[in-house]
Amino acid sequence: MRITKRAAAIAPSMTLEITAKAKQMKNQGISVVSFGAGEPDFNTPEPILFAAQQAMEQGFTKYTPASGMPELKQAIAEKLKRENGLEYTADQIVVSNGAKHSLYNVMQAIVEDGDEVIIPAPYWLTYPELVKLCNGVVVSVTTRVENDFKITAEEFEGAITSKTKAIILNSPNNPTGAVYSKEELYSLAEIAIKHNVFVISDEIYEKLIYDGKEHVSIATHSAEMKDLTIIINGMSKAFSMTGWRIGYLAAPLDIVAGINSIQSHETSNPCSVAQAASVAAFHMDDNFIKEMRNVFDDRRIYAINRIRAIKGLDCLVPQGAFYIMVNVSAFYGKTVDGITINGSLSFAKAMLNRGVAVIPGEPFEADDYVRLSYAIDKAEIEIGLDRIEKFANEVL
């Protein structure tokens, strides 16, 4: 074998694969509605674009410190204090090439060979692959639909062994849209403190929450919990900056020191221009985010009502992010267009033949479901759901 067993064991991202297939079909002139989007369909706000242009014109195109420019790290620290009630110094922040890169750095810094990392399922499909890249062991905990797919303190404690190093929490959650309450997070914090388990808290969707819910970071529980928490966040979702590739983390100094060393050899600094643009983002008012959230909320409500009216489909109400997990198990055992539907992947293939791209739940460890993103134009959502409804009426 010409590549390592480690590399061979990593599964490619199915979300990117299906989205790419849908784009290819569109390029061939085939009408496809893609519900695979993992990014806002808004352009990056003008103040951010202007700051990037200014940075380029002023020659800010050279290396910055490997962990990020001081002005950006200070802006992030101020944001964490202002919005999350958390005190971090700039030297406790590391800016990386996207939140995914931040997650990878954390794994490299804290996960030894054989260490176990608990991941509540359904989960974002990248989490287990990052653990495997560090020769860690994935311990998935299947959450219950009656708990809105959120792990409980009892389930968390039941998964802990002498080899447990960390748990990954994602609130608001991709793919379920679940949002943990303060009480739920604090009950998990008690278990993490009791067993000295790190919490990797992915808060990338914190600005996209609906129904009057609010975002709470588990690190606010106590000084003990903060010392066990690594916060992951970034610019991609809140400011529609997915392609700019700026993520960041906040953590205790000893962990940050290790991550700084790793990143200095791994990639060095994130893009200087994107960092300058990110500083401007933190100094914007919140009108852009409010407008985007309102648009997403309108689409969310429309999509939920339509989905629940379609024969054979059901879904929970997501309270955050921009995804809906749709139960499609009623179609299993049916044969359509020569495809026998026996899981979410074959359902997705059948739907792609009908001009609709959905993300199968199998890689999320939720094979009865597919994920639909409503980060696309409402008219496209309507067309896509019309096609799914027609498909359901033919098959069931």
Side-chain angles (χ1 to χ4, degrees):
M1 183 180 292
R2 291 170 62 88
I3 63 173
T4 64
K5 292 178 181 178
R6 181 175 62 253
I10 301 303
S13 171
M14 194 171 291
T15 56
L16 296 180
E17 185 179 329
I18 288 179
T19 301
K21 175 64 175 175
K23 287 180 179 178
Q24 181 184 5
M25 292 172 66
K26 287 181 180 180
N27 291 338
Q28 295 170 347
I30 302 170
S31 174
V32 179
V33 174
S34 179
F35 286 107
E39 59 183 349
D41 58 324
F42 292 76
N43 195 24
T44 304
E46 284 294 330
I48 300 173
L49 300 177
F50 180 69
Q53 181 180 348
Q54 276 194 314
M56 289 185 285
E57 290 174 350
Q58 294 169 5
F60 192 68
T61 57
K62 309 299 183 183
Y63 293 132
T64 73
S67 63
M69 57 187 282
E71 296 90 338
L72 178 54
K73 291 164 65 172
Q74 183 60 39
I76 292 167
E78 291 170 0
K79 177 266 180 207
L80 289 167
K81 181 177 180 179
R82 180 178 66 250
E83 299 181 2
N84 304 104
L86 292 166
E87 293 272 0
Y88 286 95
T89 57
D91 57 358
Q92 290 180 281
I93 310 296
V94 181
V95 183
S96 302
N97 298 282
K100 189 181 290 190
H101 185 206
S102 297
L103 284 162
Y104 176 73
N105 284 342
V106 172
M107 299 298 177
Q108 288 289 340
I110 69 171
V111 177
E112 302 276 12
D113 288 7
D115 280 351
E116 296 176 354
V117 178
I118 296 170
I119 309 178
Y123 45 66
W124 181 42
L125 53 81
T126 290
Y127 293 145
E129 307 307 322
L130 295 179
V131 175
K132 287 187 276 185
L133 277 171
C134 302
N135 295 323
V137 177
V138 175
V139 177
S140 65
V141 176
T142 302
T143 57
R144 291 172 290 168
V145 66
E146 55 265 32
N147 288 336
D148 291 341
F149 296 118
K150 292 182 282 190
I151 191 171
T152 66
E154 294 74 21
E155 290 167 339
F156 177 22
E157 188 161 34
I160 293 173
T161 73
S162 60
K163 295 182 178 180
T164 302
K165 178 58 69 74
I167 181 173
I168 301 176
L169 289 180
N170 178 209
S171 178
N173 183 270
N174 173 13
T176 68
V179 176
Y180 284 80
S181 69
K182 180 178 180 178
E183 293 73 25
E184 290 166 335
L185 288 170
Y186 280 18
S187 68
L188 295 172
E190 296 289 344
I191 303 302
I193 293 168
K194 177 181 176 181
H195 295 277
N196 197 36
V197 172
F198 283 113
V199 174
I200 302 168
S201 182
D202 185 349
E203 304 179 14
I204 192 73
Y205 292 98
E206 66 167 330
K207 296 295 186 182
L208 301 175
I209 296 182
Y210 319 103
D211 297 334
K213 302 296 181 180
E214 64 175 349
H215 173 73
V216 177
S217 176
I218 195 171
T220 61
H221 173 273
S222 60
E224 295 89 345
M225 189 64 250
K226 185 183 172 193
D227 190 56
L228 286 169
T229 303
I230 301 105
I231 293 174
I232 306 291
N233 211 321
M235 312 304 292
S236 61
K237 314 302 181 184
F239 299 102
S240 198
M241 294 176 68
T242 50
W244 298 73
R245 306 315 301 138
I246 296 292
Y248 60 86
L249 62 85
L253 282 171
D254 57 337
I255 295 172
V256 165
I259 290 171
N260 281 343
S261 297
I262 291 169
Q263 184 160 300
S264 70
H265 294 290
E266 183 186 54
T267 62
S268 190
N269 64 277
C271 171
S272 61
V273 174
Q275 289 188 70
S278 297
V279 173
F282 283 118
H283 290 101
M284 287 171 48
D285 60 37
D286 60 359
N287 289 336
F288 171 79
I289 294 172
K290 285 181 177 178
E291 178 187 353
M292 181 170 63
R293 184 169 55 235
N294 287 338
V295 171
F296 282 148
D297 193 17
D298 177 65
R299 296 173 183 173
R300 176 184 73 108
I301 293 168
Y302 171 77
I304 290 167
N305 290 334
R306 281 293 311 275
I307 288 165
R308 288 181 161 178
I310 294 175
K311 186 189 304 182
L313 299 186
D314 195 17
C315 66
L316 287 178
V317 176
Q319 295 175 329
F322 39 66
Y323 309 107
I324 302 175
M325 288 287 276
V326 182
N327 190 316
V328 296
S329 59
F331 293 85
Y332 295 178
K334 308 293 184 180
T335 299
V336 189
D337 303 330
I339 298 173
T340 299
I341 302 175
N342 51 21
S344 60
L345 182 58
S346 50
F347 178 87
K349 288 179 178 178
M351 287 310 313
L352 201 54
N353 286 342
R354 299 299 183 95
V356 180
V358 299
I359 303 300
E362 181 183 2
F364 302 130
E365 210 170 295
D367 198 32
D368 282 348
Y369 295 81
V370 296
R371 191 193 75 180
L372 274 62
S373 168
Y374 48 91
I376 62 174
D377 188 78
K378 190 174 181 180
E380 284 287 286
I381 295 174
E382 183 176 358
I383 293 169
L385 292 177
D386 284 345
R387 292 176 181 179
I388 293 175
E389 185 172 29
K390 181 180 179 183
F391 177 82
N393 289 337
E394 290 178 10
V395 175
L396 299 180

